[in-house]
Short mmCIF file of all heavy atoms in Angstrom, two decimals:
data_model
loop_
_atom_site.label_atom_id
_atom_site.label_comp_id
_atom_site.label_asym_id
_atom_site.label_seq_id
_atom_site.Cartn_x
_atom_site.Cartn_y
_atom_site.Cartn_z
N LEU A 1099 11.11 254.88 28.63
CA LEU A 1099 11.04 256.31 28.36
C LEU A 1099 11.26 256.62 26.88
O LEU A 1099 10.57 257.46 26.30
CB LEU A 1099 12.08 257.05 29.22
CG LEU A 1099 12.11 258.58 29.11
CD1 LEU A 1099 10.78 259.18 29.51
CD2 LEU A 1099 13.23 259.16 29.96
N THR A 1100 12.19 255.90 26.25
CA THR A 1100 12.42 256.13 24.82
C THR A 1100 11.20 255.72 24.01
O THR A 1100 10.86 256.37 23.01
CB THR A 1100 13.65 255.35 24.32
OG1 THR A 1100 13.45 253.95 24.53
CG2 THR A 1100 14.90 255.81 25.04
N ARG A 1101 10.52 254.64 24.41
CA ARG A 1101 9.31 254.24 23.70
C ARG A 1101 8.23 255.30 23.85
O ARG A 1101 7.48 255.59 22.91
CB ARG A 1101 8.80 252.89 24.22
CG ARG A 1101 9.68 251.71 23.82
CD ARG A 1101 8.94 250.39 24.00
NE ARG A 1101 8.62 250.12 25.40
CZ ARG A 1101 9.44 249.51 26.25
NH1 ARG A 1101 10.65 249.12 25.85
NH2 ARG A 1101 9.07 249.28 27.50
N GLN A 1102 8.14 255.90 25.04
CA GLN A 1102 7.17 256.97 25.25
C GLN A 1102 7.51 258.20 24.40
O GLN A 1102 6.62 258.84 23.84
CB GLN A 1102 7.10 257.35 26.72
CG GLN A 1102 6.47 256.28 27.60
CD GLN A 1102 6.45 256.68 29.07
OE1 GLN A 1102 7.39 257.28 29.57
NE2 GLN A 1102 5.37 256.32 29.74
N LEU A 1103 8.80 258.50 24.31
CA LEU A 1103 9.23 259.63 23.48
C LEU A 1103 8.88 259.40 22.02
O LEU A 1103 8.40 260.30 21.32
CB LEU A 1103 10.73 259.86 23.63
CG LEU A 1103 11.21 260.59 24.90
CD1 LEU A 1103 12.72 260.48 25.04
CD2 LEU A 1103 10.78 262.04 24.86
N LEU A 1104 9.11 258.18 21.55
CA LEU A 1104 8.79 257.86 20.16
C LEU A 1104 7.29 257.93 19.92
O LEU A 1104 6.83 258.38 18.87
CB LEU A 1104 9.32 256.47 19.80
CG LEU A 1104 10.83 256.39 19.59
CD1 LEU A 1104 11.26 254.93 19.43
CD2 LEU A 1104 11.26 257.18 18.37
N ALA A 1105 6.52 257.44 20.91
CA ALA A 1105 5.07 257.49 20.76
C ALA A 1105 4.58 258.92 20.72
O ALA A 1105 3.73 259.29 19.90
CB ALA A 1105 4.40 256.73 21.91
N PHE A 1106 5.11 259.76 21.62
CA PHE A 1106 4.71 261.16 21.63
C PHE A 1106 5.10 261.85 20.33
O PHE A 1106 4.33 262.60 19.73
CB PHE A 1106 5.35 261.90 22.81
CG PHE A 1106 5.39 263.39 22.61
CD1 PHE A 1106 4.23 264.13 22.63
CD2 PHE A 1106 6.59 264.03 22.35
CE1 PHE A 1106 4.25 265.50 22.42
CE2 PHE A 1106 6.62 265.39 22.15
CZ PHE A 1106 5.45 266.13 22.19
N GLY A 1107 6.32 261.57 19.86
CA GLY A 1107 6.82 262.23 18.66
C GLY A 1107 6.31 261.63 17.38
O GLY A 1107 6.76 262.02 16.31
N ALA A 1108 5.37 260.70 17.48
CA ALA A 1108 4.82 260.03 16.29
C ALA A 1108 5.94 259.43 15.45
O ALA A 1108 5.87 259.40 14.23
CB ALA A 1108 4.00 261.02 15.46
N GLY A 1109 6.95 258.95 16.15
CA GLY A 1109 8.07 258.36 15.44
C GLY A 1109 8.03 256.86 15.42
O GLY A 1109 8.92 256.21 14.87
N GLN A 1110 7.02 256.27 16.01
CA GLN A 1110 6.90 254.83 16.03
C GLN A 1110 6.21 254.36 14.75
O GLN A 1110 5.46 255.08 14.12
CB GLN A 1110 6.09 254.36 17.24
CG GLN A 1110 4.71 254.98 17.30
CD GLN A 1110 4.04 254.76 18.62
OE1 GLN A 1110 4.50 253.98 19.43
NE2 GLN A 1110 2.94 255.44 18.84
N THR A 1111 6.47 253.13 14.38
CA THR A 1111 5.83 252.56 13.21
C THR A 1111 4.53 251.89 13.63
O THR A 1111 4.54 250.97 14.46
CB THR A 1111 6.75 251.52 12.53
OG1 THR A 1111 7.97 252.16 12.17
CG2 THR A 1111 6.09 250.95 11.29
N LEU A 1112 3.42 252.37 13.10
CA LEU A 1112 2.12 251.81 13.45
C LEU A 1112 1.72 250.74 12.43
O LEU A 1112 1.83 250.95 11.23
CB LEU A 1112 1.05 252.91 13.47
CG LEU A 1112 1.23 254.04 14.49
CD1 LEU A 1112 0.05 254.99 14.40
CD2 LEU A 1112 1.36 253.49 15.90
N VAL A 1113 1.27 249.61 12.95
CA VAL A 1113 0.71 248.57 12.10
C VAL A 1113 -0.80 248.77 12.11
O VAL A 1113 -1.52 248.21 12.94
CB VAL A 1113 1.10 247.16 12.60
CG1 VAL A 1113 0.55 246.09 11.65
CG2 VAL A 1113 2.60 247.03 12.76
N ARG A 1114 -1.27 249.61 11.20
CA ARG A 1114 -2.67 250.01 11.23
C ARG A 1114 -3.54 248.99 10.51
O ARG A 1114 -3.17 248.47 9.46
CB ARG A 1114 -2.84 251.40 10.61
CG ARG A 1114 -2.07 252.48 11.35
CD ARG A 1114 -2.15 253.81 10.65
NE ARG A 1114 -3.49 254.38 10.73
CZ ARG A 1114 -3.83 255.53 10.16
NH1 ARG A 1114 -2.93 256.22 9.47
NH2 ARG A 1114 -5.05 255.99 10.27
N GLU A 1115 -4.67 248.70 11.11
CA GLU A 1115 -5.63 247.78 10.51
C GLU A 1115 -7.04 248.24 10.85
O GLU A 1115 -7.25 249.03 11.77
CB GLU A 1115 -5.40 246.36 11.02
CG GLU A 1115 -5.52 246.22 12.54
CD GLU A 1115 -5.17 244.82 13.02
OE1 GLU A 1115 -3.96 244.50 13.07
OE2 GLU A 1115 -6.12 244.07 13.32
N ARG A 1116 -7.98 247.72 10.08
CA ARG A 1116 -9.38 248.08 10.32
C ARG A 1116 -9.87 247.33 11.55
O ARG A 1116 -9.75 246.11 11.64
CB ARG A 1116 -10.23 247.72 9.10
CG ARG A 1116 -11.64 248.28 9.19
CD ARG A 1116 -12.44 247.96 7.94
NE ARG A 1116 -13.71 248.70 7.96
CZ ARG A 1116 -14.09 249.57 7.05
NH1 ARG A 1116 -13.29 249.85 6.03
NH2 ARG A 1116 -15.25 250.19 7.14
N VAL A 1117 -10.41 248.10 12.50
CA VAL A 1117 -10.85 247.53 13.78
C VAL A 1117 -12.32 247.84 13.98
O VAL A 1117 -12.75 248.99 13.85
CB VAL A 1117 -10.02 248.10 14.95
CG1 VAL A 1117 -10.59 247.64 16.29
CG2 VAL A 1117 -8.56 247.69 14.82
N THR A 1118 -13.10 246.81 14.28
CA THR A 1118 -14.49 247.00 14.70
C THR A 1118 -14.48 247.35 16.17
O THR A 1118 -14.18 246.51 17.03
CB THR A 1118 -15.32 245.73 14.44
OG1 THR A 1118 -15.25 245.41 13.05
CG2 THR A 1118 -16.77 245.94 14.84
N THR A 1119 -14.77 248.60 16.48
CA THR A 1119 -14.50 249.15 17.82
C THR A 1119 -15.14 248.33 18.93
O THR A 1119 -14.47 247.97 19.91
CB THR A 1119 -15.01 250.61 17.88
OG1 THR A 1119 -14.62 251.31 16.71
CG2 THR A 1119 -14.44 251.31 19.09
N ALA A 1120 -16.42 248.04 18.82
CA ALA A 1120 -17.12 247.33 19.90
C ALA A 1120 -16.55 245.94 20.09
O ALA A 1120 -16.33 245.48 21.22
CB ALA A 1120 -18.61 247.26 19.60
N ASN A 1121 -16.27 245.23 19.00
CA ASN A 1121 -15.74 243.87 19.09
C ASN A 1121 -14.35 243.85 19.69
O ASN A 1121 -13.95 242.87 20.34
CB ASN A 1121 -15.71 243.21 17.71
CG ASN A 1121 -17.10 242.96 17.16
OD1 ASN A 1121 -18.09 243.05 17.89
ND2 ASN A 1121 -17.19 242.67 15.87
N TRP A 1122 -13.57 244.94 19.49
CA TRP A 1122 -12.22 244.97 20.04
C TRP A 1122 -12.24 245.36 21.51
O TRP A 1122 -11.48 244.80 22.31
CB TRP A 1122 -11.37 245.98 19.25
CG TRP A 1122 -9.94 246.01 19.73
CD1 TRP A 1122 -8.91 245.23 19.32
CD2 TRP A 1122 -9.42 246.86 20.76
NE1 TRP A 1122 -7.77 245.54 20.02
CE2 TRP A 1122 -8.04 246.54 20.90
CE3 TRP A 1122 -9.96 247.86 21.57
CZ2 TRP A 1122 -7.23 247.19 21.83
CZ3 TRP A 1122 -9.14 248.50 22.48
CH2 TRP A 1122 -7.79 248.17 22.61
N LEU A 1123 -13.09 246.31 21.88
CA LEU A 1123 -13.07 246.82 23.25
C LEU A 1123 -13.52 245.77 24.26
O LEU A 1123 -12.95 245.68 25.36
CB LEU A 1123 -13.97 248.05 23.36
CG LEU A 1123 -13.34 249.39 22.95
CD1 LEU A 1123 -14.38 250.48 22.92
CD2 LEU A 1123 -12.20 249.76 23.88
N GLN A 1124 -14.52 244.99 23.94
CA GLN A 1124 -15.06 244.03 24.91
C GLN A 1124 -14.02 243.03 25.39
O GLN A 1124 -13.83 242.86 26.60
CB GLN A 1124 -16.30 243.35 24.33
CG GLN A 1124 -17.49 244.31 24.24
CD GLN A 1124 -18.64 243.75 23.43
OE1 GLN A 1124 -18.48 242.81 22.66
NE2 GLN A 1124 -19.82 244.34 23.57
N PRO A 1125 -13.28 242.33 24.51
CA PRO A 1125 -12.25 241.40 25.01
C PRO A 1125 -11.05 242.11 25.62
O PRO A 1125 -10.31 241.51 26.41
CB PRO A 1125 -11.86 240.61 23.76
CG PRO A 1125 -12.27 241.45 22.60
CD PRO A 1125 -13.46 242.22 23.04
N ALA A 1126 -10.82 243.40 25.26
CA ALA A 1126 -9.68 244.12 25.82
C ALA A 1126 -9.89 244.50 27.28
O ALA A 1126 -8.93 244.86 27.98
CB ALA A 1126 -9.41 245.38 24.99
N MET A 1127 -11.12 244.42 27.76
CA MET A 1127 -11.42 244.83 29.13
C MET A 1127 -10.67 244.00 30.17
O MET A 1127 -10.31 244.48 31.24
CB MET A 1127 -12.92 244.77 29.39
CG MET A 1127 -13.71 245.85 28.68
SD MET A 1127 -13.32 247.51 29.26
CE MET A 1127 -14.05 247.46 30.90
N ALA A 1128 -10.43 242.72 29.86
CA ALA A 1128 -9.74 241.85 30.82
C ALA A 1128 -8.33 242.36 31.10
O ALA A 1128 -7.89 242.42 32.26
CB ALA A 1128 -9.71 240.41 30.30
N ALA A 1129 -7.63 242.75 30.04
CA ALA A 1129 -6.26 243.27 30.21
C ALA A 1129 -6.29 244.62 30.92
O ALA A 1129 -5.43 244.91 31.77
CB ALA A 1129 -5.58 243.40 28.86
N LEU A 1130 -7.27 245.46 30.59
CA LEU A 1130 -7.35 246.77 31.23
C LEU A 1130 -7.72 246.64 32.71
O LEU A 1130 -7.30 247.45 33.54
CB LEU A 1130 -8.39 247.64 30.51
CG LEU A 1130 -8.05 248.01 29.06
CD1 LEU A 1130 -9.21 248.75 28.41
CD2 LEU A 1130 -6.79 248.87 29.01
N GLN A 1131 -8.50 245.63 33.05
CA GLN A 1131 -8.89 245.41 34.44
C GLN A 1131 -7.67 245.14 35.32
O GLN A 1131 -7.66 245.48 36.52
CB GLN A 1131 -9.87 244.24 34.53
CG GLN A 1131 -10.41 243.97 35.93
CD GLN A 1131 -11.33 245.08 36.42
OE1 GLN A 1131 -12.34 245.39 35.80
NE2 GLN A 1131 -10.97 245.69 37.54
N GLN A 1132 -6.63 244.56 34.73
CA GLN A 1132 -5.42 244.26 35.50
C GLN A 1132 -4.69 245.52 35.94
O GLN A 1132 -3.88 245.47 36.86
CB GLN A 1132 -4.49 243.38 34.66
CG GLN A 1132 -5.08 242.00 34.36
CD GLN A 1132 -4.16 241.16 33.50
OE1 GLN A 1132 -3.08 241.60 33.10
NE2 GLN A 1132 -4.57 239.93 33.21
N ARG A 1133 -4.97 246.64 35.28
CA ARG A 1133 -4.35 247.90 35.69
C ARG A 1133 -5.00 248.47 36.95
O ARG A 1133 -4.48 249.39 37.57
CB ARG A 1133 -4.48 248.93 34.56
CG ARG A 1133 -3.64 248.65 33.35
CD ARG A 1133 -2.19 249.00 33.61
NE ARG A 1133 -1.98 250.44 33.53
CZ ARG A 1133 -1.10 251.11 34.25
NH1 ARG A 1133 -0.38 250.49 35.16
NH2 ARG A 1133 -0.93 252.41 34.09
N CYS A 1134 -6.18 247.93 37.31
CA CYS A 1134 -6.92 248.45 38.46
C CYS A 1134 -6.64 247.61 39.70
O CYS A 1134 -6.37 246.41 39.61
CB CYS A 1134 -8.44 248.42 38.17
SG CYS A 1134 -8.93 249.35 36.71
#
Side-chain angles (χ1 to χ4, degrees):
L1099 182 60
T1100 60
R1101 289 196 296 273
Q1102 290 179 322
L1103 281 168
L1104 285 172
F1106 160 69
Q1110 57 192 348
T1111 302
L1112 298 182
V1113 183
R1114 299 175 70 182
E1115 60 185 76
R1116 190 177 190 120
V1117 173
T1118 302
T1119 315
N1121 293 347
W1122 183 88
L1123 277 172
Q1124 289 169 342
M1127 289 295 290
L1130 295 175
Q1131 184 68 58
Q1132 295 178 359
R1133 290 284 282 148
C1134 302

